[in-house]
Amino acid sequence: MKVKVIGIVAGGPQVDLPPLDHYKDINMWVGVDFGAYILSQILGNFDLAVGDFDSVDNKEFKMIESKASQIEKHPTDKDDTDLELAIQMAIELNPDQVYIFGATGGRKDHEWINIMLLKKFNESGIEAWICNNQNEITLKKPGHYQLKRDDRFQYVSFLPISESVHNLSLKGFLYELDDTTVMSGSSLTVSNQWNEKIGTYLFTEGILIVVKSRD
């Protein structure tokens, strides 16, 4: 069976996790380091645990061993973070979509690099979102995209993280744009809202973070 949708749970604060049972289309679950322990508590059995497991004690690791169908244990001294290893594995499986949980809410250096790791999915043509209990975040390079209205989230923001984003057009949203250059640091595209069931956005240059959010 093709793995179509992968859920990856990292070891961020559990209080920031959304209800995982909302994501019913996920057909493979991956726990990253302490995130594997979190998965074993929430879901029971799951598919794969990845990491060096330096964030879990012996009792917690035994729980992971009893619940994970497969474990990929890596040395502590390595170049890639545990989450990056899990992302590389997910890309090799070529799913249609990936959701990442537990990647925000803790250390800000980890949170920032985790968002930047979304570039890897975009370069591979895989839709990927970082999710917490208040936001869903994706990263896009130039192209033409659709965004289905999501009634869990009132707002949608389009945030340049490159110096600028060129020829940004937004259609189907409350505040539309047409071939507009938006500079990094501008609040022009913050807190938009859907106006139709499907919104479209496109741009020709730069890197954009798209954030669905609620108060």
Side-chain angles (χ1 to χ4, degrees):
M1 180 179 68
K2 172 178 166 57
V3 176
K4 293 186 176 181
V5 184
I6 297 175
I8 299 175
V9 178
Q14 193 166 348
V15 69
D16 286 333
L17 291 179
L20 298 184
D21 59 3
H22 172 82
Y23 300 86
K24 299 183 184 302
D25 54 346
I26 292 174
N27 64 336
M28 179 178 184
W29 283 99
V30 179
V32 181
D33 206 85
F34 188 74
Y37 179 67
I38 293 172
L39 261 185
S40 69
Q41 290 182 307
I42 295 176
L43 296 184
N45 297 328
F46 64 100
D47 299 289
L48 175 64
V50 177
D52 55 26
F53 302 102
D54 62 350
S55 319
V56 298
D57 59 28
N58 288 336
K59 182 178 179 181
E60 291 165 340
F61 187 69
K62 288 185 182 299
M63 170 71 83
I64 294 168
E65 286 184 310
S66 71
K67 299 298 183 181
S69 298
Q70 182 180 351
I71 295 177
E72 290 187 6
K73 191 169 185 180
H74 296 267
T76 303
D77 187 10
K78 58 187 183 303
D79 293 331
D80 300 326
T81 66
D82 292 327
L83 180 56
E84 186 167 5
L85 292 171
I87 286 172
Q88 290 168 355
M89 176 277 305
I91 289 172
E92 290 172 2
L93 291 173
N94 192 31
D96 297 329
Q97 193 161 25
V98 175
Y99 296 104
I100 301 174
F101 310 92
T104 59
R107 284 175 50 178
K108 291 304 175 184
D109 55 344
H110 285 178
E111 180 174 318
W112 182 246
I113 192 59
N114 291 343
I115 293 172
M116 293 300 99
L117 286 172
L118 291 173
K119 288 183 181 180
K120 293 180 178 289
F121 290 109
N122 193 255
E123 290 165 353
S124 300
I126 298 169
E127 180 83 5
W129 292 83
I130 286 178
C131 309
N132 59 35
N133 59 11
Q134 198 171 356
N135 311 274
E136 290 188 350
I137 304 165
T138 193
L139 183 151
K140 297 297 185 184
K141 291 190 173 182
H144 185 284
Y145 304 97
Q146 290 188 335
L147 192 61
K148 184 178 179 181
R149 182 177 185 140
D150 189 337
D151 290 330
R152 295 174 301 149
F153 300 101
Q154 181 179 359
Y155 305 108
V156 56
S157 297
F158 302 87
L159 310 177
I161 59 166
S162 52
E163 184 175 348
S164 58
V165 165
H166 291 265
N167 301 310
L168 176 62
S169 293
L170 306 175
K171 304 298 180 185
F173 298 98
L174 184 60
Y175 306 107
E176 295 192 337
L177 288 180
D178 188 25
D179 291 335
T180 302
T181 295
V182 183
M183 304 302 295
S184 178
S186 169
S187 61
L188 174 66
T189 49
V190 173
S191 296
N192 209 328
Q193 298 178 48
W194 280 273
N195 202 35
E196 299 178 11
K197 290 183 178 180
I198 300 289
T200 62
Y201 61 101
L202 62 93
F203 60 106
T204 60
E205 185 178 340
I207 302 175
L208 199 64
I209 287 180
V210 180
V211 183
K212 298 186 292 183
S213 59
R214 58 173 172 256
D215 291 322

